[in-house]
Each structure stands twice: as C-alpha cells, then as structure tokens.
Amino acid sequence: MKYNFDIEINRHDTASAKWDEIENLFGEKNLLPMWVADMDFQSPAPVIEAIIKKAEHGIFGYTTRPDSYYRAIIDWMQERYNWSVQKEWICYSPGVVPALNYLVQTFTNPGDKILIQPPVYYPFTNAIVNNNRQVVYNQLKHENGNYSMDLEDLRNRIDENVKMLILCNPHNPSGRVWTKEELTELGKICIENNILIVSDEIHCDLVFKGKTHTVFASISEEFAEHTIVCTAPSKTFNLAGLQTSNIIIPNQKLRDEFNATMNRLSLRHTNTFGIAATESAYRFGGEWLEQVVYYIEKNLNYLSEYMENNIKEIKVIKPEASYLVWLDCRELGLDKEGLQQLMLKHANVAFNQGYTYGPGGEGFIRMNIGCPRSILEEGLKRLEKAVKSHQGTAAKI
C-alpha cells in the first residue's frame, strides 16, 4: 500500500479536540481517546500539497468557490453514486451540523415536530431542541444484532405538525447502510405526508466491500424535489477542522430559502484552505480512500475477533460503513453512570456513551477505530482489563 496507516502521529499539543481536550471534557487525565469522529491518520498527500501551495502564496483574503471546485464535487457524485448534480444545487455550509441547525430554522417554525430515528447522532436532537422544535422519536428496531427501520411506528407518529425528518444515511452509530428499498419506503411515507427529508450522508464514502450507498435524492426526481442532501469531505478525508461542507438542494424554491438564511447570517464566505483541500480530495483522493477503508475494515475484523475471544460480554454491532463501531455492553449489567465510570476510571479510555444517542442507546458505547492498529490494540487491552476487574468484583458480592 502507498499509505502507511500503522504510523502513530503524536497529536498532543496540536489543539486537537480529540486529544488535548480530554481532561476538560471527561474529567480524567491519561485517557486514550477513541471517541469523536476524526481519524488519527494524515489526510491524502495531494490534499496536504494543495494546502501547502495555498499557504506559500501567502495571501489569505476572502475566497470564492471556483468552477473547478464545483466540478470536483459533481464528478465525485456522478462517478461514485451515479447521481447527476447540477452546479447550482450545491450550497455551502461551514459544516453539516451547523447546516442541520440552519435547515431547521429555515424550513420549520418553533413548536413544529421533527422526526429522527434513534439511537442516532446526538446533534440531531440538539438541532431540534435548541431551536425550540419538538423531537419525535421513530426508534429503530434492534433484533439479533441488526438494526432496521420501524416504518409502522413511523406512520403512527406522523401528524399535521410533523414537518421534517432528519435521516442518517449511512446510520451513525449503528453503521447501517440503508438499502434502496428501505429508503424508498421511507421516502414514500414522508412525501405522502408532505414531510421534508434532510439526509445526512457525511459517512457515505466509507462504505465497506459488499455494500452500496444510495444517495436518497437519487432514487427519483420526486424524491429529489423533497430532499436536502448534506455532504462533506470531513469524515472521508479527515478534514473536519477545515469547516467545509456542501448541502445539495435540487429544489430551487428550497435552495433559495436556504441561501437566504445563509445570507441573513452572513455565512456565505468560505475557508480558503477548505476550498483547496476539498477540491484536491475529490479529484485526487480516491486511492487514499480505497486504502483507508481497507485498513479500517481490517481494524474492524481485528476488533470483532478480539471481542469474541477475550471480552464476550460486549457484543460488536458490526458496521457496514464508517470507522465508528457500536458496542453492546448490556451484559455487564451496569446503569449509564456505572458504564461510564468503568470506561473512564478503570479502562481509562474515552468512548462516546450510548445513552446520549437517545432511546435505544442505553447500555451501549461508540468506539472510534480510525486509528493505527497499535492504538486499537492498546484500547482493547485496557477495556479487557477493566471488564475482567468488574467481573471479579461482581463475583465477590
């Protein structure tokens, strides 16, 4: 392989939220960070070169998005997902999470209801609650280690006040890659009830072999008219700090309304380095992406085998995409405070706690395996030691 993902890169004292904010966020020192969704790998060489070239120019004034930037995105979506995107559909946001808030503000009113499918990425809930809208939970079904949509429950929860559904596609934290058939049934229900679909597809490029990502809006022209697709290079190429995302809105009326919000908030200007990095990533990052997905899948297989052989009490919900793994810890018999204390004080590893992902997340943790194998091994050793210590203590009671 051209890229060596086994190399450990010291991220301490680099203003890394993942590594340098550990004590402030978790209240403990010397934790191994396996939480927030950024990888411990350098971005593709062409991206780094593009940033260096921009830096060497030495002038960092207000930056526009050139035609070549849009062309790179359009080509990526066409080649990878067979979706023909028009330049004017592509709207800028400094991130997908900020975009969710702007979309909630633009297309719903205070008091309106918004559907989400927990356990799901907790900023979905925040975007609803913090903007004085109501959360409606359409909880996923979890059967035999697999997650699926409960469309009967969805229908039962819809009333005239439900205005939007925020979809996670692929799903975070379960790692499900929704099939075209599942998405089609979901879309039909939403369109029948005049519900706008906001599809967060930020993890779509990280799908494992044997699975296929379907862009929600690509299913039909009717779906495209009722859908806003949120994309970014941040998870794919480890570029979250460059704050560049692309919100794709085929419907001109919806697009004009969203752009009006961005203008009102003075959020149309773009990060100079983010533009250079995004274009380079989509043009020249394919080889790196293929190799990093292969490496992550190897890490996933190692994790699964390690758990099966050494920590049987924790079940791996094997993802179909992404470097985030959902772990079922319910056999440990701990409440949410007990599980958190076990991980922080005994395992000394920072994970995302499952209860923060809403109903169905209690007793789970989310683990980031987008790291060199040596870091994964260290995290698993710490976790095994903590679980065995817990079992020994429980046996004495």
Side-chain angles (χ1 to χ4, degrees), residues 96-323:
V96 168
V97 171
L100 296 178
N101 285 268
Y102 309 144
L103 292 165
V104 166
Q105 293 167 17
T106 302
F107 298 110
T108 67
N109 295 309
D112 284 347
K113 296 179 179 179
I114 299 175
L115 283 157
I116 58 175
Q117 297 175 303
V120 72
Y121 186 46
Y122 55 84
F124 286 18
T125 299
N126 295 343
I128 299 168
V129 173
N130 292 345
N131 287 292
N132 300 312
R133 276 65 168 173
Q134 299 183 59
V135 179
V136 179
Y137 292 122
N138 168 225
Q139 187 173 335
L140 298 179
K141 293 188 288 188
H142 181 212
E143 301 169 321
N144 302 317
N146 297 311
Y147 281 90
S148 61
M149 296 185 190
D150 190 339
L151 298 182
E152 182 178 353
D153 176 76
L154 176 69
R155 291 188 180 92
N156 292 334
R157 294 184 181 278
I158 293 173
D159 62 29
E160 62 183 9
N161 296 312
V162 176
K163 305 299 183 183
M164 177 183 289
L165 178 140
I166 305 177
L167 171 69
C168 206
N169 175 38
H171 188 264
N172 171 12
S174 75
R176 267 302 314 275
V177 174
W178 304 118
T179 65
K180 184 176 181 179
E181 291 72 25
E182 288 172 307
L183 295 173
T184 299
E185 290 304 309
L186 176 71
K188 287 178 180 178
I189 295 169
C190 290
I191 291 171
E192 286 169 5
N193 291 279
N194 198 30
I195 295 170
L196 177 66
I197 301 103
V198 173
S199 186
D200 175 0
E201 307 197 6
I202 199 168
H203 292 279
C204 69
D205 297 320
L206 297 163
V207 172
F208 298 136
K209 192 175 296 184
K211 298 296 177 179
T212 301
H213 174 74
T214 301
V215 177
F216 194 88
S218 72
I219 292 173
S220 70
E221 289 187 15
E222 184 181 30
F223 274 41
E225 287 296 299
H226 290 82
T227 302
I228 294 170
V229 178
C230 300
T231 70
S234 51
K235 305 306 178 192
T236 306
F237 300 105
N238 215 27
L239 301 175
L242 295 180
Q243 298 180 313
T244 305
S245 68
N246 297 289
I247 312 306
I248 306 177
I249 311 177
N251 183 307
Q252 183 175 342
K253 181 177 182 295
L254 298 179
R255 188 167 65 248
D256 290 346
E257 291 180 35
F258 177 74
N259 284 332
T261 295
M262 301 302 281
N263 281 329
R264 187 172 66 252
L265 297 173
S266 297
L267 287 169
R268 299 302 300 280
H269 289 298
T270 312
N271 182 300
T272 299
F273 294 106
I275 291 300
T278 298
E279 180 177 341
S280 180
Y282 286 141
R283 287 200 178 283
F284 309 114
E287 180 184 24
W288 181 93
L289 176 59
E290 181 180 339
Q291 292 182 20
V292 83
V293 170
Y294 177 83
Y295 189 90
I296 292 166
E297 193 161 12
K298 291 293 185 182
N299 269 357
L300 175 60
N301 292 336
Y302 178 86
L303 165 71
S304 299
E305 291 174 9
Y306 193 100
M307 289 294 194
E308 180 62 31
N309 292 329
N310 301 286
I311 320 175
K312 292 182 181 294
E313 299 78 10
I314 298 179
K315 309 300 182 187
V316 177
I317 308 301
K318 205 161 185 180
E320 299 168 340
S322 186
Y323 50 85

